Amino acid sequence: MSIDSQMSTEQVRGPVIQVQGLEKSYKDLHVLRGVDFDVARGSIFALLGSNGAGKTTVVRILSTLLKPDAGTASVNGFDVATQAANVQESISLTGQFAAVDEILSGRENLVLIARLRHLRDPGRIADDLLARFSLTDAATRKVSTYSGGMRRRLDIAMSLIGNPPVIFLDEPTTGLDPQARLEVWQAVRELAGQGTTVLLTTQHLDEAEQLADRIAVLHRGRIIANGTLSELKQLLPPAKVEYVEKQPTLEDVFLAIVGDDGTDSKVGAASPDGTNN
């Protein structure tokens, strides 16, 4: 029986991701302290937070790689704890570094994944994705010759083989230069435009501002704000600069609700190893 045939009408109409009361600790370190959020189908949802806020831990739980200590979560209508196999068939996960084989060409990487997933006509699947991510001209080149942006676009393309309805992008622009970041942003927009639900974790304010339909601010293991960009900006009154009303930026909002007590890395600056919790 296919996943689609197992899903009820209510599951299809409801949020594609539902998280309630999620908790996770590593010995005495409380990483998640009761996280709640929903993600609408076909939207881009940004989980924004500093290094160590718990973003990657949330993604690992949602992708069934880690079990929570408390709380519930479902993806595409399936419980991550009791229906892990169905969740895994519904998602794709792209981490902070492109998981591509540099010895192979871009096309060979895509064909390999399609064959591993036992899909029909892997060559056509590869060619369609190469065209979709503007990599056709580089299709036969070894990935070792690709730029950072090209590798990341290929990585995202590989994650879409099999048409998963949900994709997790965990810090997708880590280590990329400005031009490469713009290329990845465009690829993410196209994903959502074709109906894929995207959960994006980021510590870059501009990334959340540019891409997300909704933004949740994760701080010290809790969601402390959740809304559209305009809703978050309404948390602060507009300032007047020389009698001209100036609307608050996402950075203004973030710093106001998180504060700066010196215990967290600032959002927007990558950690030395490019990782976060």
Side-chain angles (χ1 to χ4, degrees), residues 59 110 183 196 260:
V59 170
L110 293 165
E183 292 175 6
T196 304
D260 184 11

Side-chain angles (χ1 to χ4, degrees), residues 137-182:
D137 290 344
T140 59
R141 283 169 44 194
K142 287 187 177 182
V143 173
S144 59
T145 68
Y146 282 18
S147 68
M150 292 169 69
R151 292 185 192 202
R152 178 57 72 188
R153 297 203 318 269
L154 177 62
D155 190 30
I156 295 174
M158 290 167 63
S159 71
L160 291 180
I161 293 175
N163 296 314
V166 181
I167 183 170
F168 300 127
L169 299 179
D170 189 19
E171 302 274 7
T173 58
T174 294
L176 298 185
D177 61 42
Q179 179 58 40
R181 291 182 71 209
L182 292 176

